[in-house]
Structure formats: C-alpha cells, structure tokens
C-alpha cells in the first residue's frame, strides 16, 4: 500500500470520525428525558451554535493545525446544512411544523449536498484531504507565524457565522406550522433551478480544466478561457446557481413570517462577491490567459446569465 493511499485512508477516517462528538451528544440528549428540562431543550439555536463552536471551530481547527492543512472545513461545508436540517426537524421543542414542507426542504437539502459533495471529490480526484482551499494557502503565506491563531477566526469562526446564518430558514421551516402555499412552490422551483445551474456550470468547468490539464501534459498550448455553455453568458454561473439555492431557501422562511432570515443569503452573496474578486485577480495574474480574460470581463455578465455585450469603446462595425 503506497503512501498516497494510506494518507487518503487516514484523512477519510478523520473526516468520518470528526463530527461524532456532536452527533453522539445530540442522540444522548434525545434519549434522556431529564435533558429535556435543561437549556438544551429551550434554546435549539444556542445548542446548535455551541455544538458548532466546540466540534467544528475548536476540534476541526486543532485537527487542521496538527495536519498543517485546513481541508476538512471545505468538505463539511457541503454536509453541515444536512446535519442542521435533521437537527432542527428532530429537536423536541420544534414539534409543530408542516410535515410536507419539512420533507421537501430536507430532500432538497440532501440533493444540494450530494451535488456539491460530488463536485468536491471530482475536483480533488476522489481523494480525501489532498489539499486545502487555495485561499487558505494564500492566507497561510500572508500571515506566516501568526497563521496558527488567525486561522481559527478566518477559517472556522467565520464559517460558523456564514453556515448558521445561511441555514436559518431550516430552523424557521421546523418551528412554524402553516399550510403549504404558492410561495412554497416558488421557493422549491428557485432551489431546484439553483441546483441544476450549479451542476451544469461546475461540470462544464471540470471538463474544461481536465482538457487543459491533458494539453499541458502533452506540451500543447492550453485554452486560455472557458466561454462555452453557461460560461458564455456568465463569468461565474456556478456562483449564480449557488446563490439561487440559498435565496430560494430563504423564500420558504420569508412566507412563514421570518423575512429577517434573508440576512444569511445576503451575507453569502457578499462573501461570493469578495471571492469573485479574488478569483478574477488570480486569473489575470496568469500570463497565458490575461488578455483573453480581460476581453471576457468586458463582454460577459459577472453572475446573472445574460447576452454578451460589445467591449466598451469599441465601435459597431456595421454603422
């Protein structure tokens, strides 16, 4: 058995064991009537945050520190919403909610998670923990010897704000009992549209990257830019699809009397806006694609798919 295979198995074991403290504690809570008289029963959001803080923020951070790689949080971004959906649906305080809406939302969350998890492993060549997010690697170089403590806030505590915030509609769905309405159908359609758009965008990106890797291995010139399929109409259709998913989820909560939950989707969009800037700066630093990407920026919508426009300052040759 090679070193790479052993490392892959080790990382897989770590990833599967990592969430067990929270899962075991919650199962104990559900099966112990005395625990139902404690604060754990009366404050489900507080309990969710504390489990996240101790299990993800602290335990994952220590694990990442020991492994010198914070790869695991990237994988669990796709899993935590599913765990939260089941947590909110089974918490004994949330006994009154619409069963049909709950089933639809949990099913959609599973579909979203499976799609994103599949994309993660496909991108990582089906390996566990092969590398951490390139943004974390850049920050590791930026902060140097201070990265060990900066990473706790930049990688983990910030993720708690994002994930708990963006998943607030899951809490509302399982704490309000109102009949299914036309807006639930709209929310379902938006969520499904987001999942479909993100799937095709990520698949087209994966095929493009794979083709370029083969060209590089063969010593041939690589294609500088992906501008086919959904990428012909948007520079980041995968981000657009991801945002559709979270805004669709927020619509469920909005019509249940909790419009404040849109703050989670808004924070996520702001985060993706910042990531978009980082990604495009990275593209422009690559000599072989700089000119093509600058032209692409001038003619193609950033997120929302739209028809191409003429570069600014360029006269219409037909006039």
């Amino acid at each position: 058995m090679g070193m790479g295979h052993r490392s892959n198995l080790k990382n897989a074991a770590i990833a599967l064991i990592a969430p067990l403290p929270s899962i075991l504690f919650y199962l104990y809570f559900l099966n112990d009537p005395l625990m139902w008289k404690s604060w754990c029963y009366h404050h489900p959001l507080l309990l969710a945050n504390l489990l996240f803080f101790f299990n993800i923020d602290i335990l994952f951070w220590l694990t990442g520190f020991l492994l010198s790689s914070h790869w695991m949080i990237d994988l669990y971004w796709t899993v935590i919403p599913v765990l939260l959906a089941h947590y909110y649906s089974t918490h004994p305080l949330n006994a009154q909610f619409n069963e049909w809406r709950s089933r639809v939302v949990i099913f959609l969350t599973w579909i979203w998670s499976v799609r994103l998890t599949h994309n993660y492993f496909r991108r990582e060549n089906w390996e566990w923990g092969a590398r951490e997010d390139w943004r974390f690697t850049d920050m590791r170089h930026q902060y140097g010897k201070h990265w060990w403590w900066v990473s706790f806030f930049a990688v983990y505590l910030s993720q708690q704000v994002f994930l708990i915030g963006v998943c607030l509609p899951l809490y509302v769905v399982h704490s309000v009992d109102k009949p299914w309405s036309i807006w639930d159908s709209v929310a379902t359609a938006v969520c499904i549209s987001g999942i479909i758009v993100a799937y095709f965008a990520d698949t087209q990106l994966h095929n493009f990257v794979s083709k370029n890797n083969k060209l590089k291995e063969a010593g041939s010139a690589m294609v500088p830019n992906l501008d086919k399929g959904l990428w012909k109409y948007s520079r980041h259709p995968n981000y657009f699809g991801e945002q559709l998913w979270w805004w669709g989820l927020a619509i469920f909560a909005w019509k249940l009397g909790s419009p404040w939950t849109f703050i989670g989707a808004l924070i996520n969009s702001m985060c993706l806006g910042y990531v978009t800037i980082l990604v495009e700066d990275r593209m422009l630093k690559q000599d072989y694609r700089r000119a093509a990407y600058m032209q692409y920026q001038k003619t193609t919508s950033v997120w929302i798919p739209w028809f191409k426009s003429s570069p600014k300052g360029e006269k219409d040759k037909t006039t």
Side-chain angles (χ1 to χ4, degrees), residues 159-277:
Q159 300 281 4
Q160 177 169 353
V161 175
F162 291 146
L163 273 169
I164 294 293
V166 84
C167 288
L168 284 173
L170 298 175
Y171 170 74
V172 174
V173 164
H174 294 102
S175 58
V176 177
D177 188 9
K178 288 185 178 181
W180 184 275
S181 73
I182 186 64
W183 284 105
D184 291 298
S185 299
V186 171
T188 301
V190 173
C191 286
I192 292 175
S193 297
I195 293 171
I196 292 173
V197 169
Y199 170 77
F200 282 106
D202 279 333
T203 298
Q204 290 165 4
L205 178 61
H206 172 74
N207 292 338
F208 172 78
V209 172
S210 299
K211 179 181 178 181
N212 259 355
N213 287 338
K214 291 179 181 178
L215 290 172
K216 185 177 181 180
E217 291 173 2
S220 303
M222 293 188 291
V223 180
N225 191 45
L226 171 59
D227 57 0
K228 300 290 190 295
L230 291 173
W231 299 80
K232 179 179 179 180
Y233 305 100
S234 168
R235 303 205 299 271
H236 303 277
N238 49 346
Y239 294 168
F240 174 69
E242 183 71 3
Q243 288 181 85
L244 272 183
W245 157 257
W246 291 114
W247 284 97
L249 202 61
I251 294 174
F252 281 107
W254 169 58
K255 289 310 293 179
L256 292 176
S258 299
W260 53 272
T261 58
F262 274 112
I263 189 66
L266 178 60
I267 291 174
N268 183 64
S269 292
M270 293 171 63
C271 177
L272 282 178
Y274 177 64
V275 171
T276 297
I277 295 172

